[in-house]
Amino acid sequence: MTRFLLLPMLAILAGPLLSPWSPAHGDEQAATLAVPHYWDPQRRIERPNLAGFTGTVRFLTAPDHPPFNFLNAQNELTGFNVELVQAACLELTLRCTIQARGFDTLLPAIRDKQADAAIAGLALTPALRRDMDVGDVYLHNPARFVVRRASEAFATDGEGLRGKNIGVIAGSAHAAFLGFYYKESNLKPYPTAQLARDALKKGEVEAVFGDAVSLSFWINGTASDNCCTFRGGAFDESRFFGEGYAIVFHNGASALRQAFDHALLRLAERGVYSEIYLRWFPISLY
C-alpha cells in the first residue's frame, strides 16, 4: 500500500510570504546578486483563454526540501517554489491550493489526477516529458567551487586546479563531472557533504565542488564560521546536473501549462521573479 504523507494545504490567495533566511553578512551582498533569467526576451507566450475555468488549480509539493518547499517552525508550507506558485496564480487571477505530500507520491497523484500539477524539483527525464505536460524551466541548481577565504589565488579551470585536492560527495553527479573534466586534480570523495566541507575548513582540501544552493546556505550560515566563499563561475552542464526545475502538469493539461508559462514570463518581465529569488537565495547561485 502506498503511504501518503498528508500535510497542511496552503490556499494561495494572499500576498508574498517572507523568507526565514536572511543574509548574514549585510544587505550589500543582495545588491550585487546576479539574478538568473531563463526566458528568451524575444519569445512571446500567449495567455490562453481560461474564462471557462472556474475551479481551483491543485498543486502538490514535498514538505522537506528547503529553501524550495518545506514546513517552517509554525508548520506552515513555505519556500521559493511555494512563493513562485503563489505569484503565478495571482498573475493569472486563478484560485490555487498547494499541498505537501511525500516526494515519491507526487507523480502517481498527478497521473491519477488527484491534483493538477507538482512543483518540487522533479527530474526532467525523457520519460517524464513523455508522460506529463512539463512547463518551462524556471530555475537551475548549478554546481560551483568553494574555497577558503584565506586561500591562495588560483583559477577554477583545469589548469588552476591541476594537482589540487578537491572535496566532493562520493558517487554524486558532481564527482562524475570532476572525473570527466578535472582529470589532473586529486579528487577526494567523502560520504557526506558535511565531511567534505569540514575537510575544506581544516585545509585538507583546497576546494569543494557541489550544488550551489546548499553551498550558498552553508557559506552564509553559522556552520561555516565564515571560512569560505565561492570562486569561479557556475556550471550548468545538463548531462551531469539535469535540465533544471519546472512545473509538471498531468498529461492533457496543455492550456494550464501554457497559462503558467505565460505567468512565469510575466513575473520575470515585471521583476517579481527577481524579488522572490532574492528573498530565498541571499548568495548568488551564479
Side-chain angles (χ1 to χ4, degrees):
M1 178 181 295
T2 302
R3 184 173 67 88
F4 285 57
L5 178 60
L6 298 178
L7 293 164
M9 181 184 294
L10 174 66
I12 302 173
L13 297 171
L17 302 172
L18 294 179
S19 166
W21 309 91
S22 59
H25 307 303
D27 292 339
E28 68 277 2
Q29 284 187 336
T32 61
L33 283 180
V35 177
H37 188 88
Y38 300 101
W39 296 270
D40 182 350
Q42 303 303 317
R43 180 188 176 204
R44 308 313 306 166
I45 304 174
E46 295 299 325
R47 174 175 174 163
N49 184 0
L50 297 176
F53 185 86
T54 58
T56 297
V57 185
R58 302 162 299 166
F59 281 91
L60 296 179
T61 192
D64 52 2
H65 186 36
F68 296 99
N69 28 267
F70 64 101
L71 295 174
N72 63 18
Q74 290 73 44
N75 205 39
E76 298 166 336
L77 188 59
T78 188
F80 174 79
N81 284 338
V82 175
E83 283 205 18
L84 195 63
V85 164
Q86 182 184 46
C89 291
L90 289 172
E91 178 69 29
L92 295 168
T93 63
L94 289 175
R95 178 180 175 85
C96 302
T97 61
I98 183 164
Q99 183 182 30
R101 292 192 178 195
F103 185 83
D104 291 341
T105 73
L106 297 180
L107 283 181
I110 299 299
R111 287 193 186 97
D112 293 342
K113 297 188 178 180
Q114 298 172 30
D116 300 297
I119 181 166
L122 294 161
L124 305 183
T125 63
L128 181 71
R129 290 189 176 279
R130 184 174 59 249
D131 297 340
M132 301 284 181
D133 252 312
V134 179
D136 288 342
V137 169
Y138 61 82
L139 188 72
H140 283 276
N141 185 358
R144 293 196 67 176
F145 286 101
V146 170
V147 302
R148 293 187 305 280
R149 293 182 184 275
S151 68
E152 61 177 296
F154 56 82
T156 54
D157 57 10
E159 183 60 33
L161 287 170
R162 181 190 298 270
K164 295 191 182 299
N165 299 317
I166 306 175
V168 68
I169 299 175
S172 65
H174 302 93
F177 179 89
L178 291 176
F180 190 84
Y181 288 109
Y182 286 77
K183 299 181 186 297
E184 303 302 318
S185 300
N186 301 320
L187 272 58
K188 300 292 184 181
Y190 293 88
T192 67
Q194 180 177 335
L195 289 174
R197 296 165 188 174
D198 288 344
L200 180 62
K201 288 174 66 176
K202 296 173 185 175
E204 296 171 359
V205 296
E206 281 86 12
V208 161
F209 188 66
D211 77 90
V213 170
S214 62
L215 286 173
S216 69
F217 283 101
W218 177 70
I219 288 171
N220 206 44
T222 58
S224 70
D225 295 324
N226 200 26
C227 71
C228 303
T229 187
F230 282 132
R231 180 169 296 172
F235 297 83
D236 258 345
E237 175 55 69
S238 61
R239 290 181 300 166
F240 291 93
F241 310 128
E243 296 181 38
Y245 297 153
I247 302 174
V248 177
F249 299 83
H250 65 72
N251 198 7
S254 58
L256 269 184
R257 185 258 304 153
Q258 185 179 341
F260 278 89
D261 284 347
H262 167 83
L264 292 177
L265 175 61
R266 288 287 298 131
L267 295 178
E269 291 174 340
R270 297 198 295 107
V272 177
Y273 178 91
S274 295
E275 293 174 6
I276 297 171
Y277 177 89
L278 292 173
R279 274 200 293 275
W280 290 99
F281 302 106
I283 295 182
S284 178
L285 307 184
Y286 291 84

